[in-house]
Amino acid sequence: MAQALEQTGDYRILRRLQPRPVIDRALSPLPRLAVIVDTETTGLRHEADEVIEIGAVAFTYGNDGAIGDVVGVYGALQEPSRPIPSEITRLTGITDAMVAGQRIDEAALAALLEPADLVIAHNAAFDRPFCEGLSPVFAARAWACSVKEIPWRAYGFEGNKLGYLVGQAGLFHEGHRAVDDCHALLEVLARPVRSREDGEENAPDGTATPAVQTPFAALLAASQRITVRIWAERSPFDMKDQLKARGYRWSDGSDGRPKAWWTEVPEEASEEELRFLRDEIYQWPEASPYRQVLSAHDRFRSG
């Protein structure tokens, strides 16, 4: 029935996401290991709020970005020091009764994470600080962000929220529970996509067709790049509109970072960005804005 509806061209069918089976790591032929993590928390501030659930799905992959097998899954609830806000319960379905007496097993979580070459989160800037507060094992890992480091719109997706991605991939799942969201993200990362922005291949008839890859392959490549974060400290106030138009964002300094406009660019574009600041913003050729050179081990940290 589903196939008949799809073949009319008038219907799209969503299929329930079925998590991949878990196999022993030794049985998977691909050499590298990634772990998708997701947290549910009592709020948005890692300095004040707490993790009430964590999910993690470990999978193997190849150096070419091929996804292999799921080789480990961990999920747990944790009781916070204060009652869960009603808005969080409405969003996640997690109640005070569900977390009563529950604790995350840090040893089990560390065992899953220790061999990982890459940790992936759908908004790593949010999840990484919370995860590092749970266990030091997270701090030593390379991180990738499936929100920031994949050009979803270039692949035809209407947004980067996980619910949109899952639906446009033809699936549905029970969202806002940590392990379920990890499984869902893995399936979206594994589905082939086309994008002319990633290069073109020639079809047999000589016409250009968009290149095919998986979002995970794009994410893996992005995670291996070096970027430079540039802080336009003490930039003239009347230059703020120029900075905003160029994509700079404002940091109010409340998280320990400089109070300034900032941007992050590929390493190869950093000299051009510094020239822009010297010529257009500071109008002083000797200006030397503060720079941070970032790899996947550094990106998405707080502060």
Side-chain angles (χ1 to χ4, degrees), residues 230-286:
I230 302 174
W231 297 86
E233 294 182 283
R234 295 182 294 278
S235 57
F237 179 78
D238 58 0
M239 293 294 181
K240 65 180 177 60
D241 290 337
Q242 282 182 257
L243 290 167
K244 288 172 65 176
R246 196 173 173 90
Y248 280 70
R249 286 166 281 180
W250 175 251
S251 167
D252 63 8
S254 62
D255 57 0
R257 299 189 298 175
K259 185 176 181 179
W261 292 96
W262 65 277
T263 191
E264 191 170 322
V265 298
E267 184 179 35
E268 59 272 18
S270 61
E271 285 303 318
E272 179 185 348
E273 197 61 36
L274 289 172
R275 279 195 295 272
F276 160 76
L277 289 175
R278 290 167 180 149
D279 295 345
E280 304 294 332
I281 303 302
Y282 294 108
Q283 299 177 14
W284 179 40
E286 303 303 317

Side-chain angles (χ1 to χ4, degrees), residues 39 41 44-47 49 51 121 123-135 138-139 143 255 299-303:
T39 59
T41 67
L44 301 177
R45 299 180 302 147
H46 71 274
E47 317 91 8
D49 294 306
V51 174
N123 192 2
F126 175 84
D127 287 291
R128 181 169 187 169
F130 277 106
C131 287
E132 289 186 355
L134 283 177
S135 171
F138 287 102
W143 281 73
D255 57 0
R299 278 192 288 273
F300 313 114
R301 288 186 186 275
S302 63

Side-chain angles (χ1 to χ4, degrees), residues 30-86:
L30 296 184
R32 304 185 71 183
L33 184 73
V35 179
I36 298 174
V37 297
D38 183 56
T39 59
E40 302 298 344
T41 67
T42 58
L44 301 177
R45 299 180 302 147
H46 71 274
E47 317 91 8
D49 294 306
E50 301 173 70
V51 174
I52 55 175
E53 184 181 33
I54 191 166
V57 172
F59 66 94
T60 58
Y61 68 95
N63 292 322
D64 60 354
I67 287 178
D69 305 283
V70 172
V71 295
V73 175
Y74 179 80
L77 294 165
Q78 179 155 282
E79 183 178 10
S81 60
R82 298 183 299 276
I84 298 172
S86 58

Side-chain angles (χ1 to χ4, degrees), residues 1-302:
M1 290 174 63
Q3 289 175 347
L5 285 172
E6 287 177 323
Q7 288 169 0
T8 67
D10 295 326
Y11 299 91
R12 287 183 178 178
I13 307 300
L14 299 183
R15 290 172 169 80
R16 181 181 295 278
L17 187 146
Q18 300 294 335
R20 300 183 181 205
V22 181
I23 70 168
D24 188 275
R25 172 79 190 273
L27 299 178
S28 182
L30 296 184
R32 304 185 71 183
L33 184 73
V35 179
I36 298 174
V37 297
D38 183 56
T39 59
E40 302 298 344
T41 67
T42 58
L44 301 177
R45 299 180 302 147
H46 71 274
E47 317 91 8
D49 294 306
E50 301 173 70
V51 174
I52 55 175
E53 184 181 33
I54 191 166
V57 172
F59 66 94
T60 58
Y61 68 95
N63 292 322
D64 60 354
I67 287 178
D69 305 283
V70 172
V71 295
V73 175
Y74 179 80
L77 294 165
Q78 179 155 282
E79 183 178 10
S81 60
R82 298 183 299 276
I84 298 172
S86 58
E87 177 63 17
I88 298 299
T89 295
R90 186 195 66 77
L91 181 66
T92 65
I94 300 173
T95 65
D96 290 321
M98 291 169 60
V99 300
Q102 299 291 318
R103 297 296 300 172
I104 291 169
D105 186 337
E106 292 185 24
L109 189 58
L112 191 68
L113 268 293
E114 281 286 359
D117 299 289
L118 189 66
V119 177
I120 301 166
H122 202 63
N123 192 2
F126 175 84
D127 287 291
R128 181 169 187 169
F130 277 106
C131 287
E132 289 186 355
L134 283 177
S135 171
V137 71
F138 287 102
R141 308 273 78 78
W143 281 73
C145 179
S146 52
V147 170
K148 298 292 187 182
E149 296 183 291
I150 298 175
W152 292 110
R153 290 190 182 277
Y155 294 147
F157 290 88
E158 295 175 4
N160 57 24
K161 288 187 176 181
L162 186 58
Y164 294 159
L165 301 177
V166 171
Q168 286 192 258
L171 302 169
F172 71 94
H173 80 302
E174 301 300 325
H176 285 301
R177 291 303 304 270
V179 169
D180 294 332
D181 282 353
C182 291
H183 283 299
L185 180 57
L186 176 59
E187 293 310 312
V188 173
L189 292 176
R191 270 167 161 64
V193 291
R194 291 181 179 272
S195 172
R196 291 188 180 276
E197 291 186 12
D198 292 328
E200 294 184 347
E201 301 170 342
N202 288 327
D205 62 0
T207 60
T209 58
V212 178
Q213 67 171 340
T214 63
F216 176 69
L219 179 63
L220 181 61
S223 73
Q224 294 168 346
R225 299 184 188 118
I226 299 298
T227 59
V228 179
R229 187 172 295 169
I230 302 174
W231 297 86
E233 294 182 283
R234 295 182 294 278
S235 57
F237 179 78
D238 58 0
M239 293 294 181
K240 65 180 177 60
D241 290 337
Q242 282 182 257
L243 290 167
K244 288 172 65 176
R246 196 173 173 90
Y248 280 70
R249 286 166 281 180
W250 175 251
S251 167
D252 63 8
S254 62
D255 57 0
R257 299 189 298 175
K259 185 176 181 179
W261 292 96
W262 65 277
T263 191
E264 191 170 322
V265 298
E267 184 179 35
E268 59 272 18
S270 61
E271 285 303 318
E272 179 185 348
E273 197 61 36
L274 289 172
R275 279 195 295 272
F276 160 76
L277 289 175
R278 290 167 180 149
D279 295 345
E280 304 294 332
I281 303 302
Y282 294 108
Q283 299 177 14
W284 179 40
E286 303 303 317
S288 182
Y290 174 51
R291 284 159 285 176
Q292 295 170 286
V293 179
L294 303 175
S295 70
H297 284 85
D298 311 303
R299 278 192 288 273
F300 313 114
R301 288 186 186 275
S302 63

